[in-house]
Amino acid sequence: MRADVISQREWIVVIVIALSVTVLLQVPYALGYVLARPRTEYTGLLINVEDGSYLSAIGQGINGAWLYRIPFTTEPHAPVFIEVFYLALGHAARALNLSATAMWHLARIVATIILFVVLYDFIARFFDSSRQRRVAYALAIFGAGYDFWRFPFDGANGAEALPIELRVPEAHIFYSALTYPHFALGIALVLVTFALLLRGLNDEHRPIVYAVGAGLGNLLIGIVYPFLMYLIVAVTGAYLLFLMWHRRKMLWRALLPLGVVFGLPAPLFAYYQSVLMTNPVIRLWNVQATTLSPHPLHFVLAYAPLLVFAVLTIRPLARADAARQRVFAFLWIWVIVVALLLYAPITQQRRFVEGVQVPLAILAALGLCEVALPRLARTRVFVALSQRPNYSVAGLERLLIIVFIALASVASAYVWVSSVALLGLVQPYPLFRPTAELQAMDWLRAHTSPNDAVLSSYWTGSFIPARAGNIVFVGQRYETIHFDEKRAAAEKFFDAAMDDAWRVALLREYRIIYVFWGKAERDLGAFDPERASYLQRVFANEEARIYRVREGEQ
């Protein structure tokens, strides 16, 4: 049975599972809103305070923008056609009369449902057996590994990526769906594009039709998650070389459809390249957005349960018929290309792990159901157990499958439980902020221009653009140009040991209009803005104050 003849009942079960898991993923967020302590407010974020950048982009879309302006840096720059997915969400939010945060959550939910449905359709293209489809589906959604360790050979710069199970949401589908809508939708688009490419390269009847579909998928990938185009190009090129080797001939007829596949998104990526060449602020942002891969052992551990059974498929597939070899070879090529891209000499290495759990889950399901279980069924212990009363071969196999899926899902379960504990019990600042602090940001939104730059601590600056819409001096690791220097300068500003002449020079250099003084700023030092003659208080409550830089000091 193939995807196009899956029974209606099976699709109903798949959709029920997709909806159920999607609801499960919303529980930590719901607890954050329901259990927020008195005089605090949940921001809607989960793992990274810098995710306020996405809320900021949605906010710009709500205000009508289709060009993105980086609000986390004070350097002047022309807005550009990037972050279009989140800008589009802003336009949708305006049409639906939703806030940026509400749109963020709605996008996560919808993207997750789309991913889970597309995922099953993709898996079904490789299996006739509904049992194998279900096993691969469960492993793809819940499966994770055992990379919980920090090793002696791990350098300090790699700390952000460790351990993979807990720090790299894109590494596993469950974590991706729990966190970011562009992760979930990006994986779904990759699966749709690859499915169409497979049909186009192996079906000679309508290659152009499939090529147009894949090209449109690539165009959407360029809008939602542009980095994934490296993956699409590399996997497609490697698979085309494999097909030529496998068929022992040049596939000239495939060149035209592939031209369509990559020609449709080409203008968008040419524009991106032009922006990087002509917009120095965007170029520096791209340079700073470095996500290097940790030691390979971490990835081995992160995918260990799937890799063990995937490896079992190598010999059987080598003996399979040509058509089966061509289809399953695509999955191995995908895995191998990712392994190479993770250590290619580019700055966005770690991003290419996105979605690789899918081919590994399919191969692991194949290895488990067609190699491991049949071998195990021939052992004396298994035969003896299957002959006992109330035991059967099918029942024992189901039990073993359930145990394996459960063991492979431990890390995903831990991520979910820890998220529940984080948002329901711990409620750390700055994921939860004092209501009075947010009221101060609301004052900025109501009484200042978005172009008015605000100086604050890094922790405050990470959320001001999302809540108030202002430019900030420092607030996002990648989008604040010269982030490390500016974060250090902000910390010095609120240190009482610094002299006022230095502060005034900093305010002038970066054209700062307002200074925000709240919890995070007080934690940095004993500087009292009330005593600064160059600052005039314009807002105050029990938690925060806002000061305007006097005209002569700007």
Side-chain angles (χ1 to χ4, degrees):
M1 185 183 294
R2 294 299 178 191
D4 54 351
V5 290
I6 293 176
S7 68
Q8 184 179 13
R9 180 178 180 275
E10 187 173 351
W11 271 121
I12 291 173
V13 171
V14 169
I15 292 172
V16 168
I17 292 173
L19 293 175
S20 300
V21 178
T22 301
V23 170
L24 181 72
L25 292 169
Q26 310 318 310
V27 171
Y29 295 95
L31 292 176
Y33 284 108
V34 172
L35 300 179
R37 297 186 181 96
R39 294 189 295 179
T40 66
E41 184 175 319
Y42 175 44
T43 62
L45 307 177
L46 175 58
I47 64 169
N48 193 344
V49 65
E50 292 182 336
D51 294 342
S53 63
Y54 301 122
L55 299 180
S56 171
I58 296 174
Q60 291 183 43
I62 290 175
N63 292 330
W66 279 109
L67 300 177
Y68 181 67
R69 178 204 62 172
I70 300 178
F72 296 94
T73 198
T74 53
E75 283 77 5
H77 62 281
V80 292
F81 192 71
I82 59 174
E83 298 287 353
V84 181
F85 172 60
Y86 285 105
L87 292 172
L89 289 182
H91 286 267
R94 186 175 70 249
L96 296 172
N97 196 27
L98 296 176
S99 68
T101 304
M103 193 67 228
W104 161 264
H105 291 308
L106 179 60
R108 285 192 311 98
I109 293 169
V110 172
T112 297
I113 295 171
I114 291 173
L115 169 60
F116 289 166
V117 172
V118 169
L119 174 62
Y120 195 83
D121 177 82
F122 186 81
I123 289 170
R125 298 179 185 279
F126 295 86
F127 293 119
D128 294 322
S129 164
S130 60
R131 182 178 78 164
Q132 290 176 323
R133 291 197 288 264
R134 291 193 298 270
V135 172
Y137 193 50
L139 290 175
I141 292 177
F142 297 108
Y146 304 102
D147 181 43
F148 304 118
W149 323 105
R150 181 174 178 82
F151 299 107
F153 49 72
D154 291 324
N157 293 334
E160 289 183 359
L162 305 172
I164 287 175
E165 311 291 0
L166 308 179
R167 296 277 190 95
V168 186
E170 58 264 46
H172 296 104
I173 285 179
F174 185 86
Y175 206 177
S176 292
L178 180 65
T179 50
Y180 303 107
H182 68 285
F183 279 6
L185 190 58
I187 296 172
L189 289 170
V190 167
L191 296 180
V192 169
T193 301
F194 277 161
L196 292 170
L197 278 168
L198 271 173
R199 294 288 295 272
L201 290 173
N202 290 290
D203 186 339
E204 298 183 359
H205 298 296
R206 295 181 297 173
I208 294 296
V209 174
Y210 297 125
V212 171
L216 293 174
N218 281 336
L219 181 62
L220 290 174
I221 288 171
I223 292 173
V224 174
Y225 205 167
F227 295 109
L228 293 181
M229 273 304 298
Y230 286 98
L231 176 67
I232 300 291
V233 171
V235 173
T236 303
Y239 187 60
L240 181 63
L241 292 175
F242 166 80
L243 289 178
M244 290 190 292
W245 171 82
H246 195 258
R247 294 173 178 175
R248 302 296 191 273
K249 64 177 182 179
M250 293 293 295
L251 300 180
W252 298 110
R253 295 182 63 180
L255 297 182
L256 177 59
L258 287 179
V260 174
V261 168
F262 296 108
L264 283 175
L268 177 62
F269 284 89
Y271 169 78
Y272 289 156
Q273 186 60 37
S274 173
V275 167
L276 291 175
M277 293 174 63
T278 60
N279 192 317
V281 171
I282 301 298
R283 183 168 62 250
L284 286 172
W285 170 24
N286 185 63
V287 171
Q288 290 183 171
T290 298
T291 50
L292 299 179
S293 296
H295 191 280
L297 179 59
H298 289 285
F299 286 113
V300 172
L301 291 174
Y303 297 108
L306 304 181
L307 282 169
V308 168
F309 288 92
V311 169
L312 296 179
T313 68
I314 295 176
R315 289 186 65 186
L317 288 176
R319 299 170 181 172
D321 62 80
R324 187 174 173 86
Q325 285 182 351
R326 287 196 296 269
V327 171
F328 279 94
F330 178 83
L331 301 176
W332 273 115
I333 288 170
W334 184 351
V335 173
I336 293 168
V337 166
V338 167
L340 296 174
L341 287 176
L342 286 174
Y343 297 95
I346 48 182
T347 58
Q348 291 83 25
Q349 295 172 339
R350 201 187 70 202
R351 298 180 188 273
F352 303 114
V353 77
E354 189 87 51
V356 75
Q357 184 166 348
V358 176
L360 285 172
I362 295 171
L363 291 168
L366 182 69
L368 176 64
C369 295
E370 294 192 13
V371 182
L373 288 179
R375 289 180 184 174
L376 189 61
R378 294 192 293 269
T379 63
R380 292 182 180 180
V381 174
F382 193 97
V383 171
L385 283 174
S386 65
Q387 293 174 349
R388 297 182 65 180
N390 300 322
Y391 284 74
S392 67
V393 172
L396 287 172
E397 287 184 347
R398 282 196 298 272
L399 176 62
L400 289 172
I401 289 172
I402 291 171
V403 169
F404 172 63
I405 293 174
L407 291 174
S409 305
V410 169
S412 292
Y414 177 83
V415 165
W416 185 83
V417 171
S418 63
S419 298
V420 167
L422 180 72
L423 300 185
L425 299 175
V426 181
Q427 299 188 357
Y429 179 89
L431 296 181
F432 291 77
R433 293 178 182 268
T435 302
E437 178 184 292
L438 295 176
Q439 289 172 348
M441 295 183 188
D442 292 340
W443 184 91
L444 283 171
R445 173 175 289 277
H447 295 89
T448 70
S449 165
N451 293 321
D452 290 343
V454 180
L455 173 66
S456 68
S457 71
Y458 158 70
W459 297 111
T460 304
S462 66
F463 203 65
I464 285 177
R467 185 80 178 204
N470 290 88
I471 295 171
V472 294
F473 176 68
V474 61
Q476 222 277 353
R477 187 171 305 276
Y478 301 146
E479 297 189 36
T480 297
I481 304 306
H482 306 304
F483 171 79
D484 292 329
E485 295 89 336
K486 287 185 178 178
R487 183 173 183 179
E491 291 174 355
K492 290 180 182 179
F493 186 92
F494 295 101
D495 184 350
M498 298 303 297
D499 62 78
D500 284 336
W502 179 87
R503 292 193 184 92
V504 170
L506 183 73
L507 296 172
R508 287 176 176 171
E509 180 180 0
Y510 292 99
R511 297 173 295 280
I512 304 299
I513 305 297
Y514 292 95
V515 175
F516 192 102
W517 191 72
K519 175 186 181 302
E521 289 71 30
R522 291 191 296 273
D523 290 343
L524 291 177
F527 169 64
D528 184 1
E530 288 290 327
R531 298 181 179 180
S533 61
Y534 47 90
L535 298 177
Q536 177 184 4
R537 175 158 49 90
V538 292
F539 174 87
N541 61 23
E542 68 274 19
E543 182 64 35
R545 299 175 190 171
I546 298 173
Y547 295 84
R548 182 179 177 89
V549 180
R550 295 186 184 276
E551 291 293 336
E553 307 299 342
Q554 293 178 8

